[in-house]
Amino acid sequence: MTVNDLTEKLSLQAVCLPEPERDIDGVYIGDLLSWVMGRAQADNAWITIMSNINVIAVASLADVACVILAEGVTLDETVLATAQQKSVNVLTSPQPAYETALQLNGIE
């Protein structure tokens, strides 16, 4: 499934979508950035409630397919600009992380 497919199937809001056709392979959930950096896999969809500039740095280093901001979290303009510069897909969900993960588990 691609990031664009995920966005449509879960009715997520695209905050930054420079690579909409990027394939997703797996999901990682976490908010401790050093932990995510060492454990998230390339092409994962990463679910978090963090929205600071370091999220974009970790997403880029871990080479995740997208970041899903749970609980309606958004990015400020500076972080959004960095996400666009680094070509990091960022989506937002109104649901908590657990419910977002359950939705991800139920789609094909």
Side-chain angles (χ1 to χ4, degrees), residues 70-82:
E71 298 190 27
V73 171
T74 59
L75 300 178
D76 69 30
E77 291 300 317
T78 304
V79 178
L80 176 59
T82 302

Side-chain angles (χ1 to χ4, degrees), residues 30-87:
D31 298 319
L32 185 58
L33 298 178
S34 60
W35 197 267
V36 174
M37 192 168 28
R39 288 173 174 77
Q41 302 294 309
D43 300 323
N44 281 174
W46 170 26
I47 302 172
T48 184
I49 58 165
M50 301 290 292
S51 63
N52 63 46
I53 194 80
N54 295 324
V55 168
I56 304 306
V58 169
S60 181
L61 284 171
D63 196 27
V64 297
C66 65
V67 177
I68 302 172
L69 304 173
E71 298 190 27
V73 171
T74 59
L75 300 178
D76 69 30
E77 291 300 317
T78 304
V79 178
L80 176 59
T82 302
Q84 290 170 336
Q85 279 181 325
K86 295 192 175 282
S87 294

